[in-house]
Amino acid sequence: MTPPADPPPKRTTYRHGNLRNALLDAAVELAREGGPDAVALREVTRRAGVAPNAAYRHFADRGALVHEVSQAAMAQVARTMEAELAAVPATDDPAARARARFRAVGTGYIRFATREPGLFRTAFHVPADMAYATDTTAAGAGGLTPFEILSASLDDLVTTGILPEDRRPGAEFLAWSAVHGLSVLMIDGPLRGITPDQADSAAQDVIDMIERGI
Amino acid sequence: MTPPADPPPKRTTYRHGNLRNALLDAAVELAREGGPDAVALREVTRRAGVAPNAAYRHFADRGALVHEVSQAAMAQVARTMEAELAAVPATDDPAARARARFRAVGTGYIRFATREPGLFRTAFHVPADMAYATDTTAAGAGGLTPFEILSASLDDLVTTGILPEDRRPGAEFLAWSAVHGLSVLMIDGPLRGITPDQADSAAQDVIDMIERGI
DNA sequence: ATTTTTATGTGGACGGTGTTCACATCGGGG
DNA sequence: CCCCGATGTGAACACCGTCCACATAAAAAT
């Protein structure tokens, strides 16, 4: 029950040596636990064992720090989607494979949202002052952003003949809306408090709807 | 360019007489302009021309105040949906009418989100400490919550034979997810900055998907 | 090798916030 | 009529983000 943290390592050198990363790590941890609002600059510096102002040598202000956390969180979304894609069993049927991969993309997205709600909310946090509305992209290990991963899976649906070509334009936003909406409703909407099993089931239902309705 | 506000009316009586409502009104206005985080207790009391602590005679803490704003915002969602429903042209064909009403429900929801993003975000704001996770419902003029309005419109789809009965269970969450997701993506997601025309068009596309996929 | 520049971390301050405690002021029920 | 409970006030505390002037040490220039 010592919530503050382990004793700060009492750095001996004047320079920290890796402050920027230390700050970022602490900030990510805070966001993981409590969402974007929980990222307090002072607490972050405290955990790094450094004076509050030291943060300003590495980040313009709190917004810049949160923005970087947001980027990191978005990259984690991409990685979770990639992991789900990698778990898709091999098949000879390219159409079945394309379908399974499309479903994996959506499943990974929703899984990340329910497993890491704090980071998920941070990934989609847009600051009030619009200063950091830069769409600097955040990619996963494969170098693709979540949006690009989704797009690729939709392209495969078209090339395998599952999705008619004339339905392709704008399909990203239809799929994204449904999957994102379910995520939000489960995280802090009326579906909050659902069990993980129910969450997975709901995810599959929503993806079913997308496949039929897209 | 006097952002603070008009001069506080310099109340003469010791009692305010209507403080609770005055505080709530100011809080709603702040939420309207900047979302839930913009609701500052001190600013609210300032606008009501009263000392900061006076708020604690009417609300347990800031969370309680924001929660009430959230309820009020949810009620406005319901009213917007009702307004959209009322605008559905009369028809003899009950099936066509049911479809139109279902679409109106979704359209109203998305319209409110894009027109009042601050209130929309506040309506779905769940406090960090989970203290106010009470699901006290917020109804519109017709006495129905947004969720109940949606449910009713889905019931009508079933009775008019548009929606097969076996697809009815859980359909609320499918529809809600898609519509809510689009709203969020347009408010502070990657679809932010879209024109109102594009927003309406995207809304219709999403509702099309729901109708096909539900 | 010595000096100077630059990057990085510190200390102190200011104004903002939510919240609590003790106190002031009234309005209405005994 | 009086007093008591409801309502509003004042001062204080802790926390936050941010800015200023300053300290320190590493790197670059001499």
Side-chain angles (χ1 to χ4, degrees):
Chain A
M1 271 295 182
T2 58
D6 325 319
K10 273 302 187 203
R11 164 180 41 102
T12 168
T13 62
Y14 189 82
R15 293 291 202 278
H16 181 287
N18 196 18
L19 223 202
R20 190 172 213 282
N21 285 36
L23 294 173
L24 209 49
D25 287 354
V28 167
E29 178 56 22
L30 286 175
R32 208 177 74 82
E33 293 168 4
D37 293 352
V39 179
L41 218 146
R42 287 185 114 104
E43 175 64 19
V44 166
T45 56
R46 210 172 293 134
R47 296 195 176 194
V50 96
N53 318 345
Y56 287 88
R57 300 297 175 187
H58 302 274
F59 304 94
D61 55 12
R62 177 182 177 277
L65 174 59
V66 174
H67 181 67
E68 296 227 7
V69 175
S70 170
Q71 300 283 114
M74 194 63 90
Q76 284 200 32
V77 174
R79 283 203 292 278
T80 304
M81 291 164 79
E82 288 168 348
E84 210 75 27
L85 275 173
V88 169
T91 318
D92 285 343
D93 182 357
R97 177 177 163 78
R99 266 199 67 215
R101 286 176 61 84
F102 171 73
R103 298 186 70 92
V105 166
T107 303
Y109 191 92
I110 298 174
R111 284 242 170 95
F112 181 83
T114 55
R115 282 214 269 261
E116 294 291 359
L119 288 180
F120 183 81
R121 284 209 300 263
T122 309
F124 284 94
H125 172 79
V126 45
D129 60 5
M130 288 289 187
Y132 298 96
T134 69
D135 279 2
T136 54
T137 55
L144 296 180
T145 67
F147 184 79
E148 292 166 343
I149 295 175
L150 170 62
S151 286
S153 80
L154 284 167
D155 289 342
D156 286 354
L157 286 186
V158 172
T159 59
T160 55
I162 296 181
L163 182 65
E165 204 163 352
D166 61 309
R167 291 217 107 87
R168 177 64 184 79
E172 293 95 335
F173 299 107
L174 298 181
W176 198 348
S177 291
V179 157
H180 188 80
L182 178 65
S183 299
V184 175
L185 292 185
M186 291 196 306
I187 288 180
D188 43 31
L191 262 46
R192 152 195 31 146
I194 213 175
T195 75
D197 282 354
Q198 290 172 318
D200 269 346
S201 163
Q204 298 311 310
D205 288 349
V206 162
I207 297 176
D208 286 343
M209 173 187 73
I210 298 171
E211 280 196 11
R212 282 194 297 267
I214 218 173
Chain B
M1 274 288 183
T2 58
D6 325 319
K10 275 304 184 199
R11 164 179 41 103
T12 166
T13 61
Y14 187 80
R15 295 291 201 277
H16 181 288
N18 197 18
L19 222 202
R20 189 170 212 284
N21 284 41
L23 294 173
L24 210 48
D25 287 354
V28 167
E29 177 56 23
L30 286 175
R32 206 177 77 82
E33 292 168 5
D37 293 351
V39 178
L41 218 147
R42 285 185 116 103
E43 174 64 19
V44 166
T45 55
R46 210 172 291 132
R47 295 196 178 192
V50 97
N53 321 346
Y56 288 86
R57 301 295 175 188
H58 302 275
F59 303 95
D61 54 13
R62 178 182 177 278
L65 174 58
V66 175
H67 181 65
E68 296 227 7
V69 175
S70 170
Q71 300 285 114
M74 194 63 90
Q76 285 200 32
V77 174
R79 283 203 291 279
T80 305
M81 292 164 79
E82 288 168 349
E84 209 75 27
L85 275 174
V88 171
T91 319
D92 284 343
D93 183 357
R97 178 177 161 81
R99 266 200 66 216
R101 285 176 61 87
F102 171 73
R103 298 185 69 92
V105 166
T107 303
Y109 191 93
I110 298 174
R111 285 242 170 95
F112 182 82
T114 54
R115 282 213 270 260
E116 294 290 358
L119 288 181
F120 184 82
R121 283 209 302 264
T122 308
F124 283 94
H125 171 78
V126 46
D129 60 5
M130 289 288 186
Y132 299 95
T134 69
D135 278 0
T136 53
T137 54
L144 296 180
T145 68
F147 183 77
E148 292 166 343
I149 295 175
L150 170 60
S151 286
S153 80
L154 284 167
D155 288 342
D156 286 354
L157 286 186
V158 174
T159 59
T160 54
I162 297 180
L163 181 64
E165 204 164 351
D166 61 308
R167 289 217 108 86
R168 178 62 185 79
E172 292 95 335
F173 299 107
L174 299 181
W176 198 348
S177 290
V179 158
H180 188 80
L182 178 65
S183 298
V184 174
L185 292 184
M186 291 196 306
I187 287 180
D188 43 30
L191 262 45
R192 154 194 29 148
I194 214 176
T195 74
D197 283 353
Q198 291 172 316
D200 270 346
S201 162
Q204 298 311 310
D205 288 349
V206 162
I207 297 176
D208 286 344
M209 173 188 72
I210 297 172
E211 280 196 10
R212 281 193 298 266
I214 219 174

